[in-house]
Amino acid sequence: MSEIRIIEKDDSITFEQIHDILYAAHARNREDGLNVHTADLSGEEIKEKIGPNGKCFVALDGDKLVGVLAAKIIERNTWYAHGPVAYSMLTGVIPEYRGQRILSKLSLKLADFVKENNIKIIIDLHGSKR
């Protein structure tokens, strides 16, 4: 294995490939009887879920796609946020790459993005604020 690179998804990576990563990443959950519905979304559904303002970051080992984290960016005017909010979603690392802190590296890339874009809050799908 080479050094893992974290980049923003570009046009060379399809949303079908993102689907494949999510599906593989959540195989154990399915075996354990847990349905992670985002792992069953098609590439087009993933693209729609992220939305036009969202961002998708990927982890690469050489040219091999090994992990993903996406965020939907939505304008909010609530008690906890005024302006853009990043909703972290669609996370996964393929099983043979677990334990290498890839999800942490993806999360740091998202944190850099929100800082650079003056977004004040990240909320994950479970509702915890970072």
Side-chain angles (χ1 to χ4, degrees):
M1 286 183 245
S2 60
E3 185 171 333
I4 303 297
R5 293 180 301 126
I6 308 297
I7 65 167
E8 185 176 334
K9 178 199 167 303
D10 61 23
D11 291 338
S12 70
I13 299 166
T14 69
F15 283 103
E16 286 304 322
Q17 289 173 294
I18 300 300
H19 158 81
D20 293 345
I21 291 299
L22 292 169
Y23 192 80
H26 293 286
R28 182 184 229 169
N29 288 329
R30 283 190 304 280
E31 290 170 9
D32 292 342
L34 300 171
N35 181 23
V36 179
H37 79 281
T38 55
D40 291 329
L41 296 176
S42 70
E44 191 58 35
E45 290 169 319
I46 290 169
K47 182 178 178 180
E48 286 178 27
K49 191 163 191 64
I50 295 170
N53 298 324
K55 290 294 174 187
C56 185
F57 301 100
V58 296
L60 297 167
D61 182 5
D63 291 335
K64 182 178 182 180
L65 188 60
V66 300
V68 63
L69 180 146
K72 184 174 192 131
I73 311 299
I74 301 174
E75 289 287 325
R76 291 287 185 228
N77 187 14
T78 65
W79 64 270
Y80 64 87
H82 299 282
V85 173
Y87 287 86
S88 176
M89 60 171 64
L90 302 171
T91 59
V93 174
I94 60 175
E96 59 267 32
Y97 283 83
R98 289 194 184 127
Q100 296 183 42
R101 302 194 46 80
I102 293 172
L103 192 52
S104 293
K105 293 174 186 176
L106 286 161
S107 295
L108 288 172
K109 188 73 167 179
L110 174 59
D112 289 343
F113 168 79
V114 300
K115 287 176 195 174
E116 291 167 6
N117 290 278
N118 203 30
I119 299 169
K120 302 295 184 195
I121 191 168
I122 300 171
I123 300 173
D124 69 22
L125 286 179
H126 305 293
S128 63
K129 297 175 185 94
R130 297 183 201 161

